[in-house]
Amino acid sequence: MKSSRPTPSGAHQLTTYAELNQFVGAFAAGHLNLLLLVGGAGLAKSQSVRRTIGEQACWIEGAASAFGLYAKLYQHQNQLVVIDDVDSLYADKAAVRLLKCVCQTDAVKRVAWNTAAAAGDLPREFTTTSRVIIIANCFKNLNENVGAVLDRGHFVVFAPTAAEVHRQVGSWFDDAEIYAWFGAHLGLFAQPSMRHYVRAKELKAAGLDWIGMTAGQWLSPKATLILKLKNDSRFASEAERVAEFQRLGGGSRATYFNQAKKLRAA
């Protein structure tokens, strides 16, 4: 997860799903007025929030306009509001103004649509007690466009390790072979994601080389070949694997062991 500058000094750094669930639970229980949750893609942030909050909240996701946001806030007055990875809102000045209103620390917030455009059946302003959670994959977008609301709430950065993501995946993933393979190669994944497991399962179901294609996203072709050979039960010794490596054009014996050393380090 990259940003144009470090996350705020007051940000809460979370590394486990138990910690994440504590914050989301505190928000759902009414203890937090505004929660800003940032973390890499594929970490089940949205699912964690939805599992805790359920359908009691107004969910704003996908493409959304400023007026669409205003209409949603009015239609769901006094309900919890979840804004899920909607970058288009953060770049819209009118939408940012609305976010500033609804993210105020006051218990009752006044939200207004003060443009000349017709509001249809909607009033030009209304009050609401809605509390807001904003979910995003990238701090940079929030930092550049909605910095004014950051100090009004609790800023959480969710950055679990590959091992923590692996443990969480184990609670629902049903392919033991793929799960065990990921568990044995966690060091390969600089940025863990549950989507890696799902894609590997799809490749396997299609009869494709799921190990090579999965590892190939992060490893060089030579390292990927070595990893495949080490996972191939047909080869009982390093000598046999080296011979196959050379036969397939991977390189010399020295190349094999140099690449294998790098894999062990990972």
Side-chain angles (χ1 to χ4, degrees), residues 17 20-21 48 51 53 80 85 94 104-105 109 118 123 127 133 168 170 172 190 200-201 224 233 237 248 252 259:
Y17 284 90
L20 174 62
N21 291 335
S48 296
R51 187 165 51 247
I53 295 178
L80 300 179
D85 202 26
Q104 289 285 358
T105 55
K109 304 92 179 279
T127 59
I133 178 170
Q168 188 72 8
W172 55 266
K201 184 178 177 180
T224 300
S233 59
S237 67
L248 294 173
S252 67
Q259 291 292 327

Side-chain angles (χ1 to χ4, degrees), residues 103-122:
C103 293
Q104 289 285 358
T105 55
D106 300 327
V108 179
K109 304 92 179 279
R110 184 172 298 277
V111 183
W113 185 257
N114 293 319
T115 71
D121 296 331
L122 302 182

Side-chain angles (χ1 to χ4, degrees), residues 48-108:
S48 296
V49 172
R50 193 178 291 275
R51 187 165 51 247
T52 300
I53 295 178
E55 299 305 319
Q56 63 177 302
C58 165
W59 283 78
I60 299 171
E61 50 194 338
S65 66
F67 186 73
L69 173 62
Y70 181 79
K72 281 270 194 178
L73 293 175
Y74 176 71
Q75 293 162 2
H76 296 272
Q77 279 175 273
N78 308 321
Q79 289 182 251
L80 300 179
V81 175
V82 182
I83 300 175
D84 189 2
D85 202 26
V86 188
D87 288 349
S88 59
L89 284 181
Y90 312 141
D92 187 324
K93 292 182 179 179
V96 171
R97 284 194 294 269
L98 292 174
L99 287 176
K100 290 178 181 177
C101 293
V102 78
C103 293
Q104 289 285 358
T105 55
D106 300 327
V108 179

